[in-house]
């Protein structure tokens, strides 16, 4: 899915060049004859006309293929501190570390109601829920992962679009080995028509 998104992004980035080339080829193949435009300007007019039509089609295709509903996940090792960093380091204080993360939702709430994020912990650590946030997620039996439910972040009767709305939540991580160096990974169920963006967090010692 991520590979396909990169291809689409590159394709749409190159679309203006492709549109100009295609417009010249189409204008050479068939010219619309407009009575009030002289023959000397007819070629330029057709190139401009084909360019406008092709750009309209490209924009329509981009709108259809680019999800308007998105989920953003940003990890942090400190409460309330988010700096849009790709990789966060989270050290243990004795045997416990607290992982903070902010969920930001945009788009159609109906498309988000059945979505959940799964956070997968590295070996030799287990997750522990915090009372203030336990309603937003559930832990698996051995504490090696947790499911975060998007429906808990907004009123499920809402019909208007969400505009980068969300909340900070947290959980504890307890280590069972002295030295820890591993990533918490995240994945979204049912990615269809919903884009997902997340940074990474590394647990250390």
């Amino acid at each position: 899915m991520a590979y396909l998104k990169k291809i689409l992004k590159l394709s749409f980035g190159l679309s203006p060049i492709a549109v100009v080339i295609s417009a010249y080829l189409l204008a050479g193949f068939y010219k619309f004859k407009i009575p009030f435009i002289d023959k000397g300007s007819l070629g330029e007019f057709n190139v401009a006309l084909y360019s406008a039509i092709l750009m309209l089609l490209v924009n329509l295709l981009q709108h259809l293929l680019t999800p308007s509903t998105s989920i953003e996940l940003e990890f942090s090792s400190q409460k309330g501190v988010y700096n849009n960093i790709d990789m966060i380091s989270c050290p243990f204080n004795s045997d416990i570390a607290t992982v903070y993360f902010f969920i930001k939702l945009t788009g159609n709430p109906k498309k988000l109601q059945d979505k959940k994020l799964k956070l997968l912990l590295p070996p030799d650590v287990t997750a522990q829920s915090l009372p203030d946030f336990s309603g937003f997620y559930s832990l698996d039996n051995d504490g090696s992962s947790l499911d975060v439910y998007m429906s808990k972040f907004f009123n499920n009767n809402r019909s208007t679009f969400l505009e980068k709305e969300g909340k900070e939540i947290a959980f504890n991580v307890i280590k069972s080995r002295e030295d820890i160096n591993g990533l918490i990974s995240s994945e979204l169920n049912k990615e269809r028509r919903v884009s997902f963006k997340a940074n990474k967090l590394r647990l250390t010692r």
Side-chain angles (χ1 to χ4, degrees), residues 3 14-16 19 33-34 39 42 47 67 74 90 93 98 122 148 153 156 176-177 205:
Y3 183 67
L14 296 174
S15 61
V19 163
K33 295 180 181 179
I34 310 298
K39 291 184 179 180
L42 195 59
V47 170
E74 186 172 359
C90 183
N93 181 11
T98 300
V148 186
F153 289 84
N156 286 190
S176 58
R177 186 164 57 86
R205 290 190 70 93

Side-chain angles (χ1 to χ4, degrees), residues 52-97:
I53 294 172
L54 290 172
M55 280 306 302
L56 182 63
L57 292 175
V58 168
N59 290 334
L60 178 61
L61 184 62
Q62 187 172 12
H63 175 74
L64 293 173
L65 294 179
T66 303
S68 59
T69 301
S70 66
I71 299 172
E72 296 178 49
L73 163 67
E74 186 172 359
F75 287 110
S76 179
S77 60
Q78 301 178 60
K79 183 177 180 180
V81 179
Y82 296 91
N83 297 314
N84 197 27
I85 300 174
D86 290 337
M87 177 71 73
I88 297 293
S89 179
C90 183
F92 281 87
N93 181 11
S94 185
D95 292 333
I96 298 178

